[in-house]
Amino acid sequence: MASCEMHGGRRAPSPALGLFLDTCQRCLYLGLGYLVIWLCWLVPLALRIAGPTPPADPAQELAQSALAVLSLSAIVSFAAVAGAFSWLYDRRAAQLYGMIPLRRGAIFLAAALAGMVPLLVAVGVSGFVFAATLGFGQGAAAVLPWVVRHALLILAFGGLSALCVQLAGRPAYALLCYLLANAYAFAARQFAETLYSIVAPSVMWASVEELDWASPFARLAQLSASWSSTHPFPDRSLDAALMQAVAVYAIMGLACAALAALVFSRRNLERAGDPFVSPAVRTAVNVLVSLLVGFAVAGLVLATSLSNRYGVSSQLASMLHGVSPQLACVLPVVFSVLVFAVAEVIMGHGVKALRGRIPALAATAAVSLVASIACVGSAADAAAFVPKPEDVRSATVSAVSMPFEDEGGVDRVCRLHGTLAGLASAGGEPVTTATYTMVIAYQMKDGTSVMRQYLLPLNGDDLPAADSEMARTVEDFVRDPATTEALRAQIDAVLLDASSPRVTVGYQEYAPYSQEDAAWHTEAVPSGDYAALREALGQDIDENGATCVVPMFQSRVGAYDAAGTYQYHTSMRSILGTASETPYLAAVSLLPTATPDDSSADTTIYLSDGATPHTVAWLRSRYGYEFVER
């Protein structure tokens, strides 16, 4: 190591510079290896760009390495920084470093820079070689954003690595801290959502993705995957979002490095070889790991018990029979406490170590209880939540393809929702392998939306199960004369206003070989024909009620033929269990606005000879349409 002695009238390098250079020599192999890895990819790419058949966009080719850049920078940054501070894990080496005539701040800065500088140099050199191979032409400019993002990632993960290294006394525990910092929030959200979906399977798209920002690697992986796979490339919004995230995490890395310097300045070098530098850090890490494992095991146990008990998937079993919120709340606490106790026994080399960890064990139980109450309690509240009719702008029920916008219609949907929510929480629905998924959706007056899904059991013939109270409730709602009147009101609201509504006829043309390959056509109905169309639809509704807005699905019905052989027959049936005569691959859509948005709901009339004979006849005579049978 260099000293401060005078040689030939010149001062030798300072101890800080000597420490930096000495540490760089020990980390040099990582920098060289990192350089070789990227040159092996960048140089062939540059030669291909400069060749006779270059790719259309060099920037897009470089973007394909986004996930590789992220993964390698995260791995190599930790390895380099941990290697630069490897002496912290050996008590004798730590004592020797403590004797260096330097302040701890200078020692930390020298070691941290020695871990990151070789990687930054490798990135810069690889980018320079790429540009030089292209003769510094137009295509070479595409590597500049690649180099900038790459360097910022190394700063982000290098700073985070420095903090994790200072919190631990052994490499394995430093790696554990690093993994928790990079993915804990993402993993915790996944396990919490699993438990949430078991307790409240009717709630759709319940997620708090904003928590992923607390997991740098997980969040950057999501953004990088979306950004690199966009077509056409680049997507300006995703490009800006990725660059913003990388810059934010680079600033976070610098903040972590500053905090790591503070921790290092107060670190007891005698703790080298211990799992963590202080009991507080040890307790915090154990609690976090225990919570994560506790929630994961609780979700796995609940899902496995539901599947084994009812012989169906855990989601189906939880939808049909429900899960006790109390049990779902207690299990994470029990497993978290068990994991914490086992970790303490392992780290303390015996059961006796638990005697002094009773307060920490109680803290683990308290934190896990609060977390499980927050997760399970919010799930139970969401499953039981039914909007107030006065807060709803419009509502839809997938069993009938029409919106309910008047006060009476919204109130009926809310009452249906309340009944289904009560039946779902009570359980007791028959266990079936076939189900029909029904979705209730609300557009609230405050601009938000609420969606719930329920499974209706079907019997062996794909008909609503006779002993299912939920199926009977939905059937009663569809058959209610009020539903027919609501349909009539929707049709009148659209077809009596020729100024803005949009009315279309969609149909699939005949294909001689496979109907799946046939084209789907959509034709607008002129406003001058609204009156005739309204008259035809009115006649169909008078004869068949709201059957024409009930979606059809394929059903297999078995029966014995005259020869005594059991035969299966395929037919199109509705949730009402009725088969429509000659259903067509065609429908009439009525939208009460010419410029629909995401919250707009249309009324869809499914055409068939059984439910809409007058409408089918009018469309054929007026436009000459030929419809294909389903």
Side-chain angles (χ1 to χ4, degrees):
M1 187 179 297
S3 66
C4 293
E5 298 178 359
M6 297 292 294
H7 296 280
R10 293 186 303 172
R11 182 178 294 274
S14 68
L17 179 59
L19 178 60
F20 169 76
L21 295 176
D22 181 70
T23 308
C24 278
Q25 291 178 4
R26 291 192 290 111
C27 297
L28 186 60
Y29 68 95
L30 280 173
L32 290 176
Y34 203 60
L35 175 62
V36 169
I37 289 174
W38 288 114
L39 287 181
C40 289
W41 182 74
L42 287 173
V43 171
L45 176 60
L47 293 176
R48 185 156 58 90
I49 294 174
T53 57
D57 187 357
Q60 187 173 7
E61 296 295 322
L62 287 169
Q64 303 310 308
S65 67
L67 288 177
V69 168
L70 176 64
S71 302
L72 286 176
S73 61
I75 295 171
V76 179
S77 294
F78 176 79
V81 173
F85 285 99
S86 60
W87 52 269
L88 281 175
Y89 308 132
D90 183 273
R91 291 188 179 180
R92 179 177 297 179
Q95 292 174 357
L96 292 176
Y97 270 80
M99 297 171 61
I100 297 177
L102 287 173
R103 294 182 179 273
R104 286 203 177 186
I107 296 176
F108 173 84
L109 185 61
L113 288 178
M116 288 186 279
V117 166
L119 302 182
L120 294 173
V121 172
V123 172
V125 171
S126 60
F128 178 83
V129 172
F130 177 86
T133 305
L134 293 176
F136 300 99
Q138 183 177 0
V143 81
L144 182 58
W146 184 89
V147 170
V148 172
R149 273 191 292 265
H150 205 154
L152 291 176
L153 286 175
I154 291 175
L155 289 178
F157 291 118
L160 186 59
S161 300
L163 178 59
C164 294
V165 166
Q166 301 309 319
L167 296 177
R170 298 179 190 173
Y173 292 101
L175 178 60
L176 174 62
C177 293
Y178 187 66
L179 294 175
L180 291 177
N182 271 298
Y184 186 86
F186 175 78
R189 179 176 71 84
Q190 299 298 321
F191 295 140
E193 286 179 4
T194 299
L195 189 63
Y196 189 105
S197 64
I198 293 176
V199 177
S202 63
V203 180
M204 301 177 65
W205 303 322
S207 179
V208 189
E209 295 185 358
E210 291 77 10
L211 290 177
D212 292 348
W213 276 97
S215 296
F217 182 85
R219 182 57 180 167
L220 287 172
Q222 293 171 346
L223 292 173
S224 298
S226 301
W227 170 72
S228 61
S229 60
T230 54
H231 296 283
F233 183 89
D235 185 301
R236 299 302 178 187
S237 60
L238 288 178
D239 189 61
L242 177 62
M243 195 63 200
Q244 179 186 25
V246 171
V248 167
Y249 286 125
I251 296 173
M252 176 214 68
L254 294 177
C256 288
L259 181 59
L262 178 62
V263 174
F264 178 75
S265 66
R266 302 182 180 183
R267 178 186 176 118
N268 182 2
L269 297 181
E270 296 295 329
R271 303 288 300 193
D274 293 346
F276 297 101
V277 295
S278 70
V281 175
R282 171 181 169 178
T283 301
V285 172
N286 283 359
V287 168
L288 291 175
V289 173
S290 300
L291 286 175
L292 195 65
V293 178
F295 270 80
V297 174
L300 180 62
V301 168
L302 284 175
T304 304
S305 61
L306 285 170
S307 299
N308 293 339
R309 180 178 178 184
Y310 297 105
V312 293
S313 67
S314 58
Q315 182 184 17
L316 179 59
S318 61
M319 278 192 165
L320 296 178
H321 302 279
V323 174
S324 169
Q326 293 79 11
L327 177 62
C329 192
V330 169
L331 281 180
V333 179
V334 173
F335 288 118
S336 297
V337 170
L338 286 176
V339 172
F340 185 89
V342 171
E344 289 296 332
V345 168
I346 294 174
M347 295 174 64
H349 304 288
V351 180
K352 293 182 179 180
L354 288 176
R355 294 179 181 177
R357 305 293 291 168
I358 299 300
L361 197 64
T364 302
V367 174
S368 61
L369 180 61
V370 171
S372 62
I373 289 176
C375 178
V376 176
S378 61
D381 291 342
F385 172 73
V386 178
K388 297 179 181 179
E390 57 269 21
D391 297 332
V392 178
R393 180 164 60 88
S394 66
T396 58
V397 180
S398 62
V400 286
S401 56
M402 55 176 285
F404 296 87
E405 299 174 327
D406 62 294
E407 183 178 350
V410 170
D411 181 69
R412 290 180 59 239
V413 174
C414 291
R415 284 190 279 111
L416 170 67
H417 181 186
T419 303
L420 293 178
L423 293 172
S425 62
E429 287 292 300
V431 178
T432 61
T433 56
T435 57
Y436 175 83
T437 303
M438 196 197 71
V439 178
I440 298 177
Y442 302 95
Q443 290 296 329
M444 311 300 288
K445 292 180 179 178
D446 61 1
T448 60
S449 61
V450 177
M451 299 185 70
R452 297 292 184 266
Q453 62 178 352
Y454 297 95
L455 295 183
L456 307 183
L458 303 178
N459 59 24
D461 293 329
D462 290 337
L463 301 176
D467 52 348
S468 171
E469 188 65 29
M470 296 179 70
R472 285 197 296 270
T473 301
V474 174
E475 288 182 35
D476 292 342
F477 177 85
V478 176
R479 296 183 187 275
D480 192 333
T483 302
T484 302
E485 294 306 315
L487 172 59
R488 216 183 281 274
Q490 282 292 329
I491 293 175
D492 289 346
V494 175
L495 296 181
L496 290 178
D497 181 8
S499 59
S500 63
R502 190 178 67 172
V503 181
T504 59
V505 178
Y507 62 95
Q508 194 174 42
E509 64 182 18
Y510 174 75
Y513 299 105
S514 175
Q515 197 59 41
E516 295 180 357
D517 300 330
W520 186 272
H521 297 279
T522 301
E523 307 289 347
V525 176
S527 58
D529 290 339
Y530 284 2
L533 177 59
R534 175 174 174 269
E535 181 181 357
L537 288 173
Q539 291 175 335
D540 291 329
I541 294 173
D542 290 339
E543 296 176 4
N544 303 298
T547 306
C548 59
V549 292
V550 179
M552 309 292 289
F553 61 93
Q554 195 174 60
S555 170
R556 291 182 66 201
V557 180
Y560 289 97
D561 59 13
T565 304
Y566 196 78
Q567 300 286 344
Y568 283 102
H569 302 280
T570 301
S571 63
M572 298 300 299
R573 293 177 179 268
S574 69
I575 189 58
L576 300 177
T578 58
S580 179
E581 179 185 352
T582 318
Y584 296 111
L585 292 169
V588 176
S589 297
L590 302 93
L591 195 65
T593 176
T595 55
D597 54 28
D598 293 338
S599 63
S600 302
D602 64 343
T603 300
T604 303
I605 311 295
Y606 299 99
L607 300 181
S608 66
D609 286 344
T612 59
H614 300 283
T615 304
V616 170
W618 180 81
L619 289 172
R620 282 174 172 166
S621 63
R622 181 71 177 87
Y623 303 109
Y625 292 147
E626 288 298 331
F627 302 123
V628 179
E629 185 177 350
R630 289 179 183 267

